[in-house]
Amino acid sequence: MTQSGPGGRHFLQIPGPTNVPDRILRAIDRPTIDHRGPAFAKLGKRVLDGMRWVFRCKGPVFIYPSSGTGAWEAALVNTLSPGDRVLMYETGHFATLWKTIAAKLGLVPEFLASDWRRGADAAQIEARLGADAAHAIKAVCVVHNETSTGCVSDVAAVRAAIDAAKHPALLMVDTISSLASIDYRHDEWGVDVTVGGSQKGLMLPPGLAFNAVSEKALAAGRHAKLPRAYWSWEEMTGPNAGGYFPYTPSTNLLFGLAEAIAMLEEMGLEAVFARHARHAEATRRAVKAWGLELLCVDPAAYSGSLTAVLMPAGHDADAFRRTVLEHFDMSLGNGLSKVSGKVFRIGHLGDFNDLMLAGTLAGIEMGLALAGVPHRKGGVQAALDYLAGARQSAAEPKKAAVRS
Ligand SMILES: *Cc1c(COP(=O)(O)O)cnc(C)c1O
């Protein structure tokens, strides 16, 4: 259709949806099968089991044909009752959206305010729970990787805070932009409901969402009074045991999910997390060399999935992003609500490698020059030096092993 397209692939460097690898595209490109027939059961069991491995949990994982927002709603309606208090932490735009949903559903969210430049403060959560002697708060909700800011919350620390306060609240965590990108352990960290989505670290198109669920959350569900039908875990449980779903699942996306799980198994989750951390560090070195500022101010909270960069005062992040799109056919993430126009976000998650990152950073550095944004040159070089150095140090122990 385009008369003189740019040539080559579009660079989709927003923090989700992410680039879908050819292997997954090929897996999806198959005739849809009967979702009540015998062949489906094998696929259903494979993805339900595989997702337990990705979430690192032994309990059930529920898979919905929906965007991530649906899984937010599912987590709440399956466990809580009208008027229940939920303690949420304002890490950024996505935490704010989850809070809005809770309020619309008839819950009473209590929002611990923050400046969008760090992860959730476990001490603040502990203090609030400690003051709730009547145990009016029924759930604590935290976004693991806040996609609007590039800050990660320490979920193990939040668990420890709930335990220290000896509080029975459920712990719910949104991992939509961290699952299969940043280390996450549903069981080990004592999470009751983990929310996930298909279109970020899992490398799939949008359209699947997940709830990983603890025994405690299932038990809470038996007494929870919020109305639920489409999202009901109870309706899922019976059919899921045989590898089936209560209504028509996204069959072709499940073909893709089985392929994504196979790819993650081949690469190993630890190696996938290490790759994301390496690309994030290389990106931050580029940002520093350009003389620009990161939105995230806490190095312990730096995200492996994305980097949010503040624009110099007087320069519009969206005008800069337009320049990059027009000249280099690359999409960068925009600033959301509070930071609209003030930040741009570099997605470096999912199916991604060193040279794709090099291309991404080159497009940004050229874009900064073309858009007249004050910066220093050399960001790309700083990133390349780091990436090459990381290769070198990874190669050395292997060489030593060969010699001995
Ligand atoms: C993308 C994202 C969402 C929203 O998911 P949708 O699929 O757009 O509904 C929620 N939370 C986080 C942390 C996200 O990154």
Side-chain angles (χ1 to χ4, degrees):
M1 291 288 277
T2 46
Q3 280 157 5
S4 55
R9 280 207 178 174
H10 178 71
F11 268 62
L12 185 65
Q13 298 320 131
I14 58 176
T18 63
N19 297 286
V20 181
D22 290 353
R23 255 180 85 169
I24 290 180
L25 291 173
R26 296 296 86 82
I28 291 170
D29 179 13
R30 267 184 241 170
T32 302
I33 61 172
D34 172 10
H35 61 284
R36 312 241 186 250
F40 188 89
K42 206 171 149 230
L43 172 67
K45 282 187 180 153
R46 166 67 175 139
V47 294
L48 289 164
D49 282 346
M51 286 311 293
R52 281 188 197 105
W53 172 74
V54 176
F55 280 109
R56 296 183 174 180
C57 71
K58 296 224 152 50
V61 172
F62 299 108
I63 306 179
Y64 299 102
S66 89
S67 87
T69 299
W72 267 341
E73 178 161 340
L76 300 173
V77 297
N78 277 289
T79 52
L80 299 168
S81 299
D84 277 356
R85 243 166 221 287
V86 289
L87 185 63
M88 302 175 118
Y89 198 96
E90 189 196 1
T91 45
H93 178 68
F94 288 97
T96 307
L97 289 178
W98 201 4
K99 180 207 69 169
T100 304
I101 287 174
K104 282 183 179 164
L105 291 171
L107 299 165
V108 182
E110 219 179 278
F111 214 27
L112 295 175
S114 183
D115 63 358
W116 291 38
R117 301 196 73 172
R118 61 203 79 235
D121 178 4
Q124 228 180 317
I125 291 172
E126 184 177 335
R128 181 61 194 96
L129 292 177
D132 179 35
H135 296 165
I137 295 168
K138 300 301 178 196
V140 175
C141 300
V142 171
V143 174
H144 183 217
N145 182 72
E146 176 53 75
T147 321
S148 60
T149 66
C151 298
V152 176
S153 291
D154 183 342
V155 175
V158 174
R159 173 78 262 166
I162 298 171
D163 293 346
K166 297 193 170 54
H167 200 289
L170 296 167
L171 173 57
M172 303 195 193
V173 180
D174 170 351
T175 64
I176 296 177
S177 64
S178 55
L179 194 67
S181 302
I182 300 170
D183 191 14
Y184 185 77
R185 301 147 191 249
H186 175 94
D187 280 358
E188 192 183 318
W189 294 346
V191 180
D192 293 300
V193 188
T194 302
V195 172
S198 58
Q199 74 271 31
K200 301 186 185 180
L202 284 176
M203 309 175 284
L204 293 160
L208 292 177
F210 309 90
N211 276 175
V213 176
S214 74
E215 273 304 320
K216 185 176 162 185
L218 285 174
R222 285 179 209 117
H223 310 285
K225 301 244 163 15
L226 277 177
R228 52 193 183 267
Y230 184 77
W231 305 114
S232 170
W233 293 341
E234 286 106 328
E235 301 290 330
M236 285 275 196
T237 305
N240 277 183
Y244 295 99
F245 291 84
Y247 41 72
T248 315
S250 296
T251 308
N252 289 57
L253 283 178
L254 296 178
F255 289 144
L257 179 59
E259 195 68 21
I261 292 165
M263 289 174 73
L264 291 169
E265 285 171 350
E266 287 164 26
M267 294 185 279
L269 284 179
E270 291 304 331
V272 170
F273 301 149
R275 164 166 55 82
H276 281 79
R278 189 171 78 243
H279 290 155
E281 175 63 25
T283 302
R284 290 190 296 268
R285 288 185 186 218
V287 172
K288 198 169 163 217
W290 290 324
L292 300 179
E293 194 185 338
L294 298 169
L295 183 59
C296 185
V297 288
D298 176 10
Y302 284 159
S303 168
S305 301
L306 78 136
T307 302
V309 184
L310 277 162
M311 288 301 273
H315 291 268
D316 177 16
D318 292 336
F320 162 69
R321 291 189 316 109
R322 254 192 321 275
T323 301
V324 170
L325 179 62
E326 275 166 21
H327 289 278
F328 306 113
D329 194 29
M330 174 162 68
S331 297
L332 295 169
N334 62 338
L336 293 163
S337 53
K338 261 192 200 177
V339 291
S340 172
K342 297 194 182 106
V343 309
F344 67 93
R345 295 173 299 145
I346 308 165
H348 35 70
L349 74 164
D351 185 50
F352 203 55
N353 63 33
D354 288 12
L355 295 188
M356 290 164 85
L357 179 63
T360 299
L361 297 175
I364 294 169
E365 188 161 326
M366 290 188 285
L368 290 169
L370 285 168
V373 179
H375 69 289
R376 292 192 301 265
K377 303 244 172 268
V380 173
Q381 191 59 54
L384 299 186
D385 290 346
Y386 173 75
L387 291 172
R391 294 278 162 184
Q392 197 122 40
S393 43
E396 263 147 28
K398 269 191 220 139
K399 272 192 225 142
V402 169
R403 269 200 300 274
S404 62

